[in-house]
Amino acid sequence: MKAAVISERGAAPVVQEFPEPASQEGAVLIDMDTAGLGGWDVLGAYRLGVQYPCVIRGEGVGRAPDGRRVYFGERSVMPFGAWAERTLVPADEVWDVPDDVDDKTAITMGIAATGALVPLEQANIQRGEQVLVLGATGTLGQVALQLARYLGAGRVVAAARSAETLQRLKTRGIADEVVALGSENDVAALKDAAGDGFDVVLDLVCGQPMLNALKATRWGARIMTIGTGAGRQINLDIADLLFRTLSCVGTGQRPPADRRAIWERLLRIAHTENIQVDYADYTLDQAVEAWASQIAGPHAKITARIRG
């Protein structure tokens, strides 16, 4: 079968022939229709314990042997993955897709949207509070801005480095205000956008941007950190955290049944709230370009048509 294959640690994927998965007890063979790609796929491809050569894992939508249209996250049986004509997935990770949900929505409401909903609900947003999403231009950030409003936020602010993407979010009404980061005046810009202070910060980047955002919060603020793209180590002045709460939240370490329930709920929210996300569409033959775009930071959800 045709697949996007990583031959060794650090290597970029190559589209080539790869052995077909065989039936296995407790797993489902899936004929792929659409695959997704995220930052976790790039990181996970090179972690210790990965068996090479392997297919890009990803998440996807395809058809089970009984004809059901199904979604699965990036948990294919190694060395298989979503970026191939066929994959093999543990049965409890294979979830039916409702007829009225398109492939890209089913994929987006999986790993990325779960990563937004879990920490935002843990923050216990009160009606009318101000929420800052730090690192807001990616898929998770775009979804988070909309979920924060759904959960009761009175004002949502997007902060990131791409001024162009931020302005697009504001123009579309996804963010009430935006802050372009990357200058010496980031703290002042965040404070200006915060008014009397942010109540909740969903921090997708950590590092110095999180420390800067902390200075724009008010007493009682909850800072929920779920990513480390701007750095894993911080030099925190504990005075900046006084009367505030900083939490580091893991979003995917839950049993399959729990993650499925969250995903099904997100599908309903996406429909009722008309959740919007930017997409970058590819084909399986364009896997190398898709991979490079993900590494560069696409400010969009990458998906690829595997068939059709």
Side-chain angles (χ1 to χ4, degrees), residues 25-208:
E25 186 175 354
V28 179
L29 280 169
I30 297 174
D31 288 326
M32 288 300 304
D33 291 321
T34 307
L37 189 67
W40 50 87
D41 297 310
V42 175
L43 293 173
Y46 305 136
R47 70 185 186 277
L48 294 175
V50 172
Q51 172 187 343
Y52 299 104
C54 64
V55 177
I56 298 175
R57 297 195 81 182
E59 53 189 321
V61 172
R63 295 281 175 175
D66 59 7
R68 289 180 299 134
R69 184 163 155 262
V70 295
Y71 162 83
F72 61 93
E74 45 88 43
R75 287 175 166 83
S76 294
V77 175
M78 289 292 289
F80 304 106
W83 285 68
E85 292 179 316
R86 240 159 261 101
T87 191
L88 183 69
V89 182
D92 56 2
E93 299 286 353
V94 177
W95 309 335
D96 292 352
V97 179
D99 291 339
D100 61 347
V101 174
D102 63 87
D103 287 8
K104 293 197 289 188
T105 298
I107 290 170
T108 303
M109 292 303 115
I111 297 170
T114 296
L117 182 64
V118 169
L120 285 173
E121 290 200 314
Q122 288 188 22
N124 192 26
I125 297 170
Q126 300 300 299
R127 188 155 298 281
E129 286 189 322
Q130 285 201 99
V131 176
L132 169 68
V133 178
L134 195 58
T137 53
T139 307
L140 197 160
Q142 292 179 33
V143 174
L145 290 164
Q146 297 165 81
L147 288 178
R149 202 186 304 278
Y150 165 77
L151 292 171
R155 185 167 177 266
V156 293
V157 177
R161 297 179 66 89
S162 173
E164 179 182 354
T165 307
L166 286 169
Q167 189 55 50
R168 190 161 64 245
L169 294 175
K170 185 175 181 180
T171 300
R172 291 159 61 190
I174 292 175
D176 296 308
E177 188 55 81
V178 297
V179 179
L181 303 176
S183 76
E184 295 180 355
N185 301 315
D186 284 357
V187 172
L190 288 164
K191 286 182 175 180
D192 286 345
D196 58 357
F198 294 114
D199 300 286
V200 172
V201 177
L202 180 61
D203 166 33
L204 312 185
V205 297
C206 198
Q208 190 61 44

Side-chain angles (χ1 to χ4, degrees), residues 226-264:
I226 65 170
T228 58
R232 295 165 57 183
Q233 296 183 348
I234 56 175
N235 184 14
L236 173 65
D237 183 340
I238 200 65
D240 291 333
L241 195 57
L242 193 63
F243 302 120
R244 297 160 176 85
T245 303
L246 172 61
S247 303
C248 184
V249 183
T251 60
Q253 296 77 14
R254 288 165 172 74
D258 292 352
R259 286 185 281 104
R260 179 174 185 169
I262 294 170
W263 175 74
E264 290 175 342

